[in-house]
Amino acid sequence: MDVPPLSPDDDLRDFPVTLFEHFPTLIWRAGTDTKCNYFNQTWLDFTGRCLAEEVGDGWTRGVHGEDFDRCVRTYLEHFAVRTPFEMEYRLRRHDGEYRWIIDAGRPVYTRSGEFAGYIGSCLDITDRRNTEAELRDREQHMRTLLSAMGEGVILRDATGQVQSYNAAAAELLGLKPEEMSSWQADDGRLRYFDENGDLYPARNFPSMRALLSGKPNTGTLGVERPDGSRRWLWINAKPFFDDESGELRGVVSTLADITLNREHEEQRRLALTVFRNSVEAIVVTDAEERILSVNQAFTEVTGYAAEDVIGQTPRLLGSGIHGREFYEAMWHDLRILGAWKGEIQDRRKDGSLYPASLSISTVRDSNSRITHYVAVFSDITERKASEARIAYLAQHDALTGLPNRALLQDRLDQALAQATRQGKRIALMFLDLDRFKTINDSLGHVTGDKLLQRVAERLRQCVRETDTVSRQGGDEFIIVLTGIDSPDEAGRVAAKILDQLDPAFDVDGQQLRTSFSIGIALFPEDGASPESLMKNADTAMYHAKESGRNTYRFFDERMNVNTLERLQLENGLRQALDRGELQLAYQAQVDLASGRIIGVEALLRWASATLGQVPPSRFIPLAEECGLIIPIGDWVLREACRQARRWQDAGLAPVPVGVNLSALQFRRSDIVAGVAAALAESGLDGRWLELELTESLLMESGPEVIVTLGKLKALGVRLSIDDFGTGYSSLAYLKRFPVDRLKIDQSFVRDLADDPDDAVIIRAIIQLGHNLRLEVIAEGTETVEQMDFLRREGCTAAQGYLFSRPVPPEAIPALLERGLPLNR
C-alpha cells in the first residue's frame, strides 16, 4: 500500500502523519537538504531501529553493501532534478536478514509552489522476486505511489468528504478523477447492492459505519458503475484520530476487487445447446469468459482436449496478431448487439497459427444479465490459402514475385498522398537492363528469365522494407523510394544498385554480366502525379543510356550538377591527407575562477588547393558517409598527440588536448589499439589526452561500449561527453560510463539570454555533475553575461570566442604563458 497522492497545493506539514502510521508500507520523508526527517512506525519495526538512528543519512546503514552506491546515487541524482523515482535495493531487517524492497519517491511542494522535499514508500518485494508471476505484476503494482497490491485507497475526513484517493480506487468505482474529488456515496452516480443482489443504502457503507462508531469495519459490497458494469468489492475501513486530542480525524478505506473470487457463489442459469456432432468447433464460457465446455470438433481444430482448457479462457488460443482495437470492436458488438461475427487468427496447441471463421453470441438471464458466451468457429486455412494465392497473382509478377503494375500503382498513390501530408520527397527510379536483349536472344528465354530472377533478388537487398521494387515487364523495373530528405539519398541508392549488379551472375554455370541505366524523378520537383513521375523518370533513364549506360541520371539536370559537385568534394577529400591539406586548430578551455588555460580542443580544418577553405560542416558529414572519417580521424588523433608532446618538450606546462571521436570511428575501427599507438608513437602520457564522445554515440553503441570505455580508461586517457543534453533523455545512464567530464552543448549557452528553459537545463546539468563528481565545461561561451551566469551556477570551466577563437598550434604557447583575463 502506497502513500495517498499529494497535489501541488498540499502542504507536507498539514498532511495527517498519523495516517502513515496505519500503513503496512514503509514510509519516509526528506527535506530540501536531501536528509530524511521522518520514518513511520512500520519502517522502524522493519529495521528494528529507533527514529533517531534512521533520520539524516542513518537509514543508509541498513542498505546492503552491494546496493549502497547505486541506491544513494539514484536518490541524489533524482533529488538534484526533482523528478519521481523508483529503485530496488536490499534493506536489513531487524532479524539481520536482507530483504528486497522497491522504494518509490516523488517531490512535494508547498501551497506556494516551493519545493518542500520528497516523500516515498517502500514495499517488501522479496517474495515477489522469487516467482515470474510476481515479477510480471510488479509494474502494475507500483504504477502509482499510492497503489498497493492493486487495492484502492480512499481517505475521508470526519464529515465523510473525500480528501484523497488513488487511481486504483477511481478505476474500481468507474469514476473519473474529477468525479472522485466530489463523490458522495449517496449522490446517485453509483448503485450498491448486497450479496443477495438487493439495493444497499449508502449509510451502511463500512466507511460510514467506521466514522459513526469510531471502530474498524469491513464488508462486501456490490457496485454498479456509471457504465453499467458491476464489481464486487471487499472494503476494509479504519478510522484514525488526532494523536493529542484523540479527536476523530477521518477514515481510511481500502477496496479490493473480489469479483473473480465470487465466481463459485454466482448461480446462473445454464442455457446452452451443445451440438456434439457438429463439424464446427463450439466453446461455452461463463460470464467471466472461463471455459465450461467444448465439443470434439474443438479438439480436432485446436489440438486441445477438454481437460486442457476447462477453467481457462479463450485467450489461450490467442495468436498475438490482433491489436487492442480489434478486440474493442468485438466487445462493443457483443455488449450492444449481443453477437459478433468475423474472421480471426488463432493458435493451436502445437503453436501453429490458423485462420478461423468465428461467431460469438451472448446468453442472458431473465434480468438481462449476461450469464454465458457461446462461440462457434471453423478452420478456414484452405479457403484463405486459395484466396491469398488468387490475390497474390493479381498483384505480383509471376516470374520474379515483385509487385506488378497494379500493385505499384496502388503503392505509388499511397506514397504520394503520404508525402503530400508530411511534406516529404519520394523518388521514382526507372531501371532498364543494359544489353538484356543480346543475352535473351543468344542464350534463350529460359536463361534470360533466370537472370531476371537473380537481378530481382539483388534489387530487393538495395532498398528498405518501406520502398517498392516492381517489374513492369521485359527488362524494365521501377523502384519507389519513400520519405527521402534529399536527392542525394536517391543517388546513393542508385549507386548501390549499380555496385550490387557489378559482380557476375552464375546462371546454370554461365557467368553473365549486366548493368542498369537508371533514371530518377523526384516528387514534388519533377511531377505531382504517377504519370508525370514515370514519364520523367523514363526520360532520365534514356539520358543515362546516352551517357554510356551503367549509370544514373536525374530528370532535373541541375541535380546532376549537385551530384557532380558532391563527387568533386569527395574526390578532393580522398586526396586531402596525401596532399597535406588538413590542419588542426586549437581552442582554449579556461578555468572560470582564475583564467588559467586547463586544456585545448583540437579542431579539424581543410584548406583545399582547388576548393579553398572548406567549412567542417560540409566535409565532416561527407567523410562520415563515405567512410573517410576513419583514416582522417586516425590522423587527427596522432597529430594532436604529437603536437601536445611538442609543447611539453618546448617547456610548456602540460595541459590535456581534446580530440573528438566520430561514431563510425568508435564502432568500426580498433579504437583502443589506435589510441594506444598514437600515445606510444608520440610519447605522450595518456592523462594528457581527452577523448570526446557524443551522448547519442554512447547510448546507441550497445552494451559493448562499456567494455571499450574501460579499455580506454586503462590507457590513462580522460573521457568526456560532448554536446551533453542534446541526446538521450534520461540522465540515469551516466553511472554506467567511466567518464570524467560533461560538456554542456553550445546551443544551451548560446540561447541563454532568450530562452529561460536553457538556464534551467544548464543549472540541472551543473548540479548533476557536482553530485556525480564530474567536471562540467560549457561550450560556445561568447558573452560576459553568459560567463557570469555559468560562474554563479558553479560551472568551473568554459570554452568559446569570449576567451579565444581556434588558433594554429604556434599561437598556443603565448596563450598558455599569459592565461586569459576574465575581467572583460
Side-chain angles (χ1 to χ4, degrees):
M1 181 181 300
D2 293 345
V3 185
L6 293 178
S7 72
D9 293 331
D10 289 321
D11 191 316
L12 189 62
R13 296 169 298 180
D14 296 336
F15 196 78
V17 174
T18 55
L19 172 60
F20 292 160
E21 304 299 322
H22 297 285
F23 272 60
T25 52
L26 286 64
I27 307 298
W28 57 268
R29 186 176 65 194
T32 57
D33 59 355
T34 77
K35 306 297 183 182
C36 291
N37 52 39
Y38 170 77
F39 296 89
N40 71 345
Q41 189 61 44
T42 306
W43 176 293
L44 301 179
D45 293 342
F46 182 91
T47 62
R49 293 158 58 85
C50 68
L51 182 61
E53 293 174 298
E54 296 291 72
V55 296
D57 296 329
W59 65 276
T60 62
R61 290 195 292 271
V63 178
H64 196 285
E66 295 178 0
D67 304 330
F68 183 88
D69 289 343
R70 174 175 53 81
C71 173
V72 173
R73 177 174 290 187
T74 299
Y75 176 81
L76 295 176
E77 172 189 347
H78 285 272
F79 212 102
V81 293
R82 302 177 183 177
T83 55
F85 67 83
E86 289 184 7
M87 60 180 175
E88 296 180 13
Y89 56 88
R90 286 164 286 185
L91 188 66
R92 187 171 60 243
R93 199 167 58 182
H94 58 81
D95 58 4
E97 178 186 357
Y98 281 96
R99 302 285 290 179
W100 278 101
I101 68 168
I102 183 167
D103 192 340
R106 70 183 180 88
V108 291
Y109 298 86
T110 65
R111 292 190 181 96
S112 61
E114 295 181 347
F115 175 59
Y118 265 73
I119 188 168
S121 69
C122 307
L123 285 175
D124 186 334
I125 61 170
T126 305
D127 295 335
R128 188 185 312 165
R129 289 172 62 95
N130 292 337
T131 66
E132 183 178 352
E134 289 174 337
L135 282 172
R136 287 195 302 268
D137 292 339
R138 172 181 162 198
E139 181 179 358
Q140 177 180 354
H141 290 310
M142 295 302 296
R143 279 183 181 171
T144 65
L145 184 62
L146 305 182
S147 64
M149 304 301 291
E151 291 185 343
V153 179
I154 300 177
L155 168 67
R156 297 178 184 272
D157 61 17
T159 67
Q161 180 68 39
V162 174
Q163 296 296 307
S164 185
Y165 62 90
N166 66 352
E171 192 280 330
L172 288 173
L173 297 175
L175 296 175
K176 299 177 182 177
E178 60 269 19
E179 294 174 324
M180 281 294 298
S181 58
S182 62
W183 172 56
Q184 295 288 340
D186 57 356
D187 61 11
R189 279 182 277 187
L190 304 177
R191 292 205 309 162
Y192 318 98
F193 45 94
D194 59 23
E195 296 186 72
N196 297 321
D198 297 330
L199 290 177
Y200 195 85
R203 63 177 179 275
N204 289 338
F205 272 22
S207 56
M208 297 299 103
R209 292 201 300 267
L211 282 175
L212 291 174
S213 65
K215 298 178 180 179
N217 201 285
T218 61
T220 300
L221 182 67
V223 178
E224 184 176 286
R225 305 189 301 180
D227 63 1
S229 61
R230 291 189 176 188
R231 292 279 183 93
W232 285 98
L233 307 178
W234 172 258
I235 301 179
N236 186 350
K238 188 173 183 180
F240 61 92
F241 303 85
D242 186 91
D243 289 339
E244 296 182 358
S245 66
E247 180 184 356
L248 178 68
R249 294 287 303 278
V251 60
V252 177
S253 302
T254 58
L255 291 68
D257 190 343
I258 60 170
T259 304
L260 297 180
N261 296 333
R262 290 182 53 88
E263 288 181 271
H264 66 282
E265 300 173 353
E266 297 292 338
Q267 300 299 321
R268 302 189 177 199
R269 184 180 59 171
L270 181 61
L272 177 65
T273 302
V274 180
F275 301 100
R276 299 186 181 276
N277 298 320
S278 173
V279 295
E280 295 185 300
I282 301 176
V283 182
V284 180
T285 77
D286 61 15
E288 305 300 331
E289 304 172 54
R290 300 291 177 181
I291 297 176
L292 302 175
S293 178
V294 297
N295 66 349
Q296 183 60 32
F298 174 91
T299 299
E300 294 172 358
V301 171
T302 67
Y304 287 101
E307 56 267 26
D308 295 330
V309 298
I310 300 300
Q312 301 292 324
T313 73
R315 286 189 289 273
L316 90 164
L317 303 176
S319 64
I321 293 177
H322 303 289
R324 179 186 299 176
E325 296 80 8
F326 176 88
Y327 290 106
E328 287 177 349
M330 173 190 290
W331 283 106
H332 176 270
D333 286 356
L334 285 172
R335 287 192 297 267
I336 304 302
L337 305 177
W340 182 87
K341 185 175 183 179
E343 293 181 2
I344 192 170
Q345 284 280 342
D346 275 344
R347 190 180 298 276
R348 297 185 181 88
K349 186 178 181 180
D350 63 5
S352 61
L353 298 176
Y354 66 97
S357 176
L358 171 65
S359 62
I360 307 175
S361 301
T362 59
V363 179
R364 299 178 181 271
D365 62 13
S366 57
N367 294 322
S368 297
R369 289 181 297 189
I370 296 175
T371 60
H372 300 84
Y373 295 102
V374 179
V376 180
F377 62 92
S378 58
D379 185 348
I380 57 172
T381 301
E382 294 183 1
R383 191 186 85 192
K384 297 296 289 183
S386 298
E387 294 174 353
R389 182 59 181 168
I390 294 172
Y392 182 87
L393 292 176
Q395 294 187 320
H396 290 79
D397 173 50
L399 177 64
T400 63
L402 295 176
N404 60 15
R405 291 176 182 270
L407 184 53
L408 172 70
Q409 183 69 41
D410 180 67
R411 292 188 179 178
L412 183 54
D413 289 339
Q414 294 181 33
L416 288 172
Q418 184 177 20
T420 300
R421 289 193 303 270
Q422 297 178 351
K424 292 279 189 178
R425 284 189 176 96
I426 68 170
L428 189 143
M429 306 174 66
F430 201 110
L431 303 88
D432 185 87
L433 277 177
D434 297 327
R435 290 178 289 273
F436 176 76
K437 186 177 185 301
T438 302
I439 297 175
N440 215 27
D441 292 343
S442 60
L443 300 178
H445 293 289
V446 173
T447 300
D449 287 346
K450 290 181 179 179
L451 177 60
L452 289 173
Q453 291 172 337
R454 305 289 197 280
V455 168
E457 290 172 1
R458 292 193 188 178
L459 281 178
R460 287 191 186 99
Q461 299 171 5
C462 295
V463 299
R464 305 162 300 179
E465 291 183 0
T466 54
D467 302 325
T468 297
V469 180
S470 170
R471 181 181 177 228
Q472 297 297 288
D475 60 348
E476 294 180 345
F477 296 82
I478 287 181
I479 296 178
V480 176
L481 304 177
T482 60
I484 66 172
D485 294 320
S486 70
D488 283 348
E489 291 187 45
R492 285 195 291 271
V493 174
K496 182 178 180 181
I497 291 172
L498 297 176
D499 183 66
Q500 288 292 314
L501 255 65
D502 184 64
F505 292 87
D506 186 349
V507 180
D508 295 334
Q510 300 183 79
Q511 300 298 306
L512 304 179
R513 289 185 176 276
T514 186
S515 61
F516 271 127
S517 293
I518 305 174
I520 306 172
L522 298 173
F523 169 88
E525 292 91 338
D526 301 330
S529 68
E531 295 76 18
S532 60
L533 287 174
M534 289 185 184
K535 175 179 176 296
N536 293 336
D538 187 40
T539 300
M541 183 271 294
Y542 280 103
H543 289 169
K545 283 190 177 293
E546 293 170 358
S547 300
R549 304 174 186 270
N550 192 27
T551 187
Y552 65 91
R553 286 292 182 266
F554 288 94
F555 173 73
D556 187 347
E557 286 300 328
R558 288 174 300 175
M559 295 182 183
N560 285 316
V561 173
N562 293 335
T563 302
L564 293 174
E565 288 178 350
R566 183 183 183 279
L567 182 61
Q568 182 185 19
L569 189 66
E570 181 176 335
N571 290 336
L573 188 57
R574 290 185 183 278
Q575 302 175 53
L577 268 177
D578 295 335
R579 293 177 174 176
E581 295 176 349
L582 297 179
Q583 300 103 27
L584 291 182
Y586 297 86
Q587 188 172 36
Q589 299 172 339
V590 182
D591 180 87
L592 288 178
S594 64
R596 181 173 57 90
I597 295 176
I598 59 173
V600 293
E601 180 181 2
L603 301 171
L604 183 61
R605 297 294 183 262
W606 178 19
S608 170
T610 57
L611 303 175
Q613 289 289 342
V614 184
S617 59
R618 284 191 64 196
F619 73 85
I620 290 182
L622 177 61
E624 291 271 7
E625 291 176 11
C626 62
L628 288 174
I629 197 66
I630 293 178
I632 291 176
D634 183 65
W635 176 84
V636 170
L637 179 62
R638 292 170 185 264
E639 178 61 20
C641 290
R642 286 192 292 264
Q643 183 59 62
R645 180 66 189 193
R646 291 190 198 106
W647 288 328
Q648 293 181 18
D649 291 342
L652 296 175
V655 294
V657 59
V659 175
N660 288 277
L661 290 184
S662 76
L664 197 63
Q665 192 179 0
F666 189 84
R667 293 172 184 146
R668 291 191 182 177
S669 64
D670 188 350
I671 189 62
V672 178
V675 172
L679 293 173
E681 292 171 7
S682 64
L684 183 68
D685 192 299
R687 58 180 168 161
W688 304 118
L689 174 63
E690 179 172 342
L691 300 178
E692 300 183 7
L693 305 99
T694 64
E695 193 175 12
S696 58
L697 164 63
L698 293 179
M699 298 314 303
E700 296 171 0
S701 296
E704 68 277 3
V705 69
I706 299 178
V707 176
T708 301
L709 293 179
K711 292 179 179 178
L712 291 172
K713 287 296 292 183
L715 297 176
V717 304
R718 292 164 51 85
L719 299 175
S720 66
I721 300 181
D722 198 15
D723 301 336
F724 187 79
T726 63
Y728 194 59
S729 59
S730 170
L731 304 179
Y733 74 93
L734 277 178
K735 61 186 178 185
R736 299 191 291 124
F737 299 129
V739 298
D740 304 288
R741 184 155 71 164
L742 305 179
K743 299 192 73 175
I744 301 175
D745 184 68
Q746 61 181 340
S747 62
F748 300 124
V749 179
R750 180 179 60 244
D751 300 332
L752 188 59
D754 301 322
D755 191 346
D757 290 340
D758 286 340
V760 174
I761 293 173
I762 292 175
R763 188 177 295 115
I765 293 174
I766 294 172
Q767 184 62 44
L768 177 66
H770 290 170
N771 289 338
L772 297 181
R773 295 182 294 279
L774 299 176
E775 300 174 20
V776 180
I777 182 172
E779 295 180 294
T781 306
E782 298 181 355
T783 68
V784 174
E785 292 76 13
Q786 293 168 352
M787 178 184 68
D788 291 340
F789 173 88
L790 293 169
R791 282 198 292 198
R792 286 197 306 272
E793 295 301 327
C795 185
T796 56
Q799 172 182 348
Y801 284 2
L802 177 64
F803 312 109
S804 172
R805 291 178 175 271
V807 297
E810 55 267 24
I812 290 296
L815 291 178
L816 290 174
E817 290 174 356
R818 72 170 183 268
L820 294 170
L822 300 182
N823 56 346
R824 56 180 71 190

